[in-house]
Amino acid sequence: MRFTSSTSVLAVVAVMSSISPAFGQSADQEASQTTTEDQDEAANTRSAIISGRTGSSGSGTDIIVTGTRIQRPNNKSAAPIVTVTANDIQAQGATTIEEVLNRLPQVQQNSEQNFSDSTGRQRIKLRTLGYERTLSLIDGLRFGLPNTIDVGIIPNSLVERIDVLSGGASSVYGSDAVAGVVNFILKKNFEGIRADAQYSFFNHNNRENAITDAARRANLSVPLGMTNDGGRSDVSVAAGVNLFDKRVNITGFVNYRHSDFLRIGDRSHAVCEVTQPTNTSPLSCNPSTFLAAGVIIPRTGPRANQTLVNDPSGSGRLVPYGSVPGTSGSPYDDWAFQREFNRINVGGFLTAKLAEDMELYGNGLYYRDRSSSPILNRFLASVQLAPGTPYQIGCNNPFLSASQAADLGCPSLGSSTIVPLDVRYRFDGIGPLQIRSVNQQYRFVAGIRGRTEDGIWSYDLAGMLSQGKINTNFGTPVSDRLRNERSIDVVSVNGVPTCRSVVNGTDPSCIPFNPFIPYNNNRAAYDYIYGNTAAPNQVTDSRMRQVVGTISGDLTNFGIKSPWADQGVAVALGIEYRDELLDVNGNDTFNAQQQSTNGRFTQNILESNIEVQLPIADQRPWADQLQINGGYRISRYNRLEGYFNTWKVEGIWGPIRDITFRGSINRAQRAPDVGSAQGAANIFFNQGFYNDPCASRVNPANTGGPRLAPEATLAQCRNTGLPDNLYGSDTLDCAGACTVRNGGFNLVPETAYTKTFGVVLRPSFVPGLTISIDRFLIDLQDQLIFLQPQNLIEQCLRTGNDFFCRGIVRNPGTFTLNSAPEGEPAAGWVVRGSSNGFKEQSYGWDFQGQYNLGLGSAGRLDFGFNGTLTTRVGAQEAPTVTPRNCVGYYGRTCGESLPRWAHQLRTTWSSPDRVASVSVNWRHRGPMPLDVYAPTDTGIPAASPNARRDQYPQIGSFNWFDLGFTFDVSKQMTFRLTANNILDRDPPIVPDSRSVIGLLRSNSIMGYDLLGRQIVASVSLRM
């Protein structure tokens, strides 16, 4: 069992138990509300929001409505909204907001905690439309710049509820609200003290599987059996006080969260990154030729170009790669499966009643997140630093044994002959390098709101300042080829191994390094090799300032109303100003490696909007309610020419109180954010992201043996401009470091038309039951897309369409995709960057249900259901490209996509005295075949037969079950115990997951429980 550097929840429980009685007599009524009483209110809130009838929460107050700025009693929403309450978050035992939202079928799951290449930020993406099309709000105001926000600024314990609105909402909130809105509504006006502590860990059984078989064939060690690891802790304290006869409330909080580091290699299903080179071949571990024993590749002699390893036993011989334990390795075993992070959040809220109908309010939030992810600490191969120029040493090198000298092609040990070789070493004894990210953000809001004396008009004027900083140190110091070669080119001086460069005076500071023995972790030599150089570092500063003014009026008293309605017309008029700043600064090392430059970019936006609600009929024989809503917004961006507008039209009709029909159509637009706009116009070159699919491939099962045929067919490679005679040539191989041209695109705003229509059922003959069924249709035009080289190449291979193939520019003569990025090459690259596409669609049905069933003396049952049937995940990059529907498929063309069906059903039993509750949550995710098996009517381009993987043709259906227990020790203390994924189901095996999807290196994809069963214990204290 591994529990490291985390708070013990048992200790917290003990301390809180000892102090709880001291506060028992003075606890405030509100602060002492039990968790099981919260469950009743949460169920009522969900029912109210599902139905759109916002005056029936059971709390005695109206619910804030997401999707409108109009303020009036009994506000009715036509937009389908999914809500997550504070009680839901507690039942799950989540440490981060990201985990909470990832469970919703409306959200395309993503986990920055399980993504080694991330900066640790948490972002939300609805449907399949990306982070940038999901607008995140806090109490109706923006977080900050869309692509730089981190919802980690919000502690879970601070959330009252989260509203997820499907479809466009640009006419209300402005640009970016294309896929929908995620509105975090926070707890405020608290009186008393509340403390929450939570600890969780993974209790997982590492089982035998196809990956462990592959690992054993590669002579890798395999973790098996039960393990307890991945500990996470979350401690928060909130305190609030009412002053001046409750006219002023001040609330503050502090929160600390910690997550232990968990290696990819700690799970048997991820012990090595597996690949399946051909359809019929067994799984093979993706080999690492950087080993702690040291890898030597002679370039001459009897074993030229063979991958050899220093005998781990120290015999002084070179043995074949993978021949005995210790002579093979995984390149990612020490990478993060769960990132280590330490996160601090502090903040406060102020409300002050200046007059009976006027209130001053403000709040401030701050967080700092430090996270890290290790990467291998290596002696880089010459082919990585200077392709075609191997290292050279003399046969009189005192570190060589006789057999090693013979393997290198030396005529004899001790001769002055110079021989070429390559060296690859892994410094495990010195420890891994760390990619360290420090994310900081602060956000301040100040405003004044109120009503006129007659109660007709309300107003709200608010200002928001959000500023963030992302500081990422990429950990890898600069490796210099000359220093590497000097450190291994050693001669004997009076029996002392000495660098040749010291003898001839070219580098008197050189420290010898012996690469011909295993497990050499000479710190002095290591420091010389890297010269204490600075690792690449980039700092991104972002800022958004927002001012929003809204006047809302209920015109009933003016007689502006329908003759059949009780309520009159309501309107809201608003004006909004935003300015955005993005400041990107890399150090010299970063800019040199990425061929990038520093920059400071700004943009400002001025908008005005109007909303109207028109009740037509209330409680009539032909309509219990009939209402039409409308909205219009005009926007002006200083970086774009002209204006653009967005609008909405909504309708609500309830023929009887038990049934309500609702529908809406929205025109939403998203302008390029300041970073995308500047990045698209700025051209620079770097290397990485892909390899040439027309090159021959190294066989991972026999790295020194014959190379495999290209992944693409000859006919497909013709699409990329390759002549037939170079098909399968070794010269095309750029070892995953082909050249990329970034930027060079002109961007225009994208436009979405979103339609929703559905029905809400609240049958009076089944008290407590609410059901909603809503259809959503999101059609996106001129979509802003990010072109990745892998996607362009894959689509060019499959379709031959010029839209994709024109982005592949081969070098004349050699036809390679590898050019030196420093000289702004005219050819030898694939494009990458933000561009406008043609069309994209997301269609489906959302199903929600809430049923509250009283059992009398047996207690109460609450059922909450949320499911999505996705019917289209569509894309069409250009008019000449065949439209495709990727729903239910994943792969190189479709990416992660979404299953056709996903749902969760939580059933909660509460005791009659509301002291205890037990809940069971059933999560389901439907099957997803590889897109190479898609039928032609989907429009998914036919793939090469080489792409078939008949042993792993699909991800099957997955079901997970979570069990939760809550017990109120007293009115002041609640204890919870949760087991998520209680059956400890492993994630699906996806061979080549990194190359297929481009994200995880752990043989799976997002959307599944990756780390196994999770045990969560928590305690809450109210004083």
Side-chain angles (χ1 to χ4, degrees), residues 301-553:
R303 305 179 80 175
N305 298 317
Q306 294 183 29
T307 302
L308 306 175
V309 184
N310 293 312
D311 185 353
S313 68
S315 69
R317 296 181 300 112
L318 296 176
V319 297
Y321 181 93
S323 57
V324 296
T327 60
S328 59
S330 168
Y332 307 117
D333 55 349
D334 278 343
W335 287 48
F337 216 157
Q338 175 176 279
R339 298 171 66 91
E340 179 182 5
F341 71 70
N342 290 280
R343 185 172 296 154
I344 296 174
N345 298 69
V346 295
F349 301 86
L350 168 69
T351 57
K353 202 169 186 179
L354 304 181
E356 190 62 30
D357 295 310
M358 180 184 294
E359 183 179 69
L360 178 71
Y361 64 94
N363 62 71
L365 302 175
Y366 169 81
Y367 93 108
R368 187 201 66 206
D369 174 67
R370 298 183 186 271
S371 69
S372 61
S373 180
I375 55 177
L376 297 185
N377 196 348
R378 307 178 297 178
F379 182 104
L380 294 184
S382 63
V383 70
Q384 295 174 286
L385 301 174
T389 308
Y391 298 131
Q392 297 190 55
I393 66 169
C395 293
N396 57 352
N397 191 310
F399 293 145
L400 284 172
S401 69
S403 65
Q404 290 171 333
D407 289 338
L408 292 177
C410 292
S412 63
L413 180 64
S415 73
S416 60
T417 304
I418 302 298
V419 292
L421 79 164
D422 209 347
V423 175
R424 305 177 185 196
Y425 221 95
R426 175 168 164 172
F427 298 108
D428 283 0
I430 294 177
L433 301 170
Q434 296 284 341
I435 299 177
R436 301 185 186 277
S437 294
V438 179
N439 299 325
Q440 298 182 80
Q441 186 176 0
Y442 63 80
R443 182 180 182 275
F444 296 108
V445 173
I448 189 168
R449 59 193 170 206
R451 288 185 175 273
T452 56
E453 290 186 6
D454 55 15
I456 295 175
W457 296 96
S458 63
Y459 57 89
D460 192 339
L461 177 63
M464 185 276 295
L465 169 64
S466 174
Q467 189 146 345
K469 179 189 291 287
I470 305 169
N471 188 337
T472 303
N473 186 289
F474 293 89
T476 308
V478 176
S479 184
D480 180 270
R481 184 194 171 281
L482 288 177
R483 281 179 175 262
N484 287 8
E485 184 172 73
R486 289 168 183 166
S487 70
I488 63 174
D489 185 16
V490 177
V491 296
S492 177
V493 178
N494 299 322
V496 178
T498 307
C499 296
R500 191 187 303 271
S501 60
V502 172
V503 176
N504 62 28
T506 55
D507 187 355
S509 63
C510 177
I511 304 294
F513 174 69
N514 184 358
F516 300 105
I517 59 172
Y519 315 116
N520 186 353
N521 295 291
N522 185 327
R523 184 73 204 208
Y526 175 86
D527 289 341
Y528 164 75
I529 290 167
Y530 284 105
N532 297 314
T533 55
N537 194 90
Q538 186 183 48
V539 178
T540 300
D541 288 290
S542 62
R543 187 194 68 207
M544 173 180 281
R545 294 182 293 205
Q546 179 186 23
V547 180
V548 181
T550 304
I551 298 175
S552 176

Side-chain angles (χ1 to χ4, degrees), residues 211 220 264 270-275 284-287 330-333 990-995 999-1003:
I211 296 169
L220 297 175
I264 284 180
V271 65
C272 68
E273 182 184 43
V274 293
T275 182
S284 298
C285 288
N286 185 14
S330 168
Y332 307 117
D333 55 349
V990 179
D992 302 286
S993 60
R994 176 71 173 179
S995 61
L999 292 175
L1000 297 178
R1001 293 182 169 92
S1002 52
N1003 309 314

Side-chain angles (χ1 to χ4, degrees), residues 15 93 132 158 165 242 277 346-347 480 495 525 648 721 738 841 855 900:
V15 171
E132 61 278 0
L158 197 65
L165 182 150
N242 286 320
V346 295
D480 180 270
K648 70 172 183 177
C738 295
Q841 303 89 24
L855 302 177
R900 190 171 296 274

Side-chain angles (χ1 to χ4, degrees), residues 483-648:
R483 281 179 175 262
N484 287 8
E485 184 172 73
R486 289 168 183 166
S487 70
I488 63 174
D489 185 16
V490 177
V491 296
S492 177
V493 178
N494 299 322
V496 178
T498 307
C499 296
R500 191 187 303 271
S501 60
V502 172
V503 176
N504 62 28
T506 55
D507 187 355
S509 63
C510 177
I511 304 294
F513 174 69
N514 184 358
F516 300 105
I517 59 172
Y519 315 116
N520 186 353
N521 295 291
N522 185 327
R523 184 73 204 208
Y526 175 86
D527 289 341
Y528 164 75
I529 290 167
Y530 284 105
N532 297 314
T533 55
N537 194 90
Q538 186 183 48
V539 178
T540 300
D541 288 290
S542 62
R543 187 194 68 207
M544 173 180 281
R545 294 182 293 205
Q546 179 186 23
V547 180
V548 181
T550 304
I551 298 175
S552 176
D554 186 339
L555 307 183
T556 304
N557 290 346
F558 292 111
I560 305 176
K561 60 189 290 291
S562 163
W564 307 290
D566 297 329
Q567 286 187 312
V569 174
V571 299
L573 303 171
I575 188 167
E576 180 172 345
Y577 173 81
R578 300 191 303 275
D579 68 42
E580 303 172 349
L581 178 144
L582 187 68
D583 195 345
V584 182
N585 288 282
N587 64 4
D588 292 342
T589 305
F590 178 88
N591 290 337
Q593 287 187 355
Q594 300 297 320
Q595 294 297 301
S596 61
T597 57
N598 298 333
R600 183 181 177 90
F601 319 114
T602 61
Q603 177 171 267
N604 60 69
I605 306 101
L606 182 62
E607 300 178 306
S608 181
N609 72 299
I610 182 172
E611 280 189 84
V612 178
Q613 287 184 358
L614 176 59
I616 297 175
D618 291 309
Q619 299 179 5
R620 299 292 168 175
W622 44 275
D624 180 68
Q625 61 171 320
L626 180 62
Q627 180 173 304
I628 295 175
N629 304 331
Y632 179 83
R633 176 178 289 252
I634 187 168
S635 305
R636 175 78 169 96
Y637 282 69
N638 72 316
R639 297 180 70 100
L640 300 175
E641 294 183 4
Y643 297 83
F644 64 85
N645 59 80
T646 55
W647 48 261
K648 70 172 183 177

Side-chain angles (χ1 to χ4, degrees), residues 832-886:
R832 178 177 182 264
S834 296
S835 175
N836 283 101
F838 184 54
K839 290 183 178 179
E840 192 169 349
Q841 303 89 24
S842 181
Y843 297 171
W845 296 85
D846 282 336
F847 300 83
Q848 292 191 78
Q850 181 68 36
Y851 185 35
N852 313 322
L853 177 63
L855 302 177
S857 61
R860 165 173 162 156
L861 282 175
D862 293 295
F863 302 88
F865 180 82
N866 179 18
T868 295
L869 175 67
T870 304
T871 58
R872 186 170 186 82
V873 176
Q876 185 180 8
E877 288 84 355
T880 56
V881 176
T882 302
R884 64 179 181 270
N885 183 10
C886 281

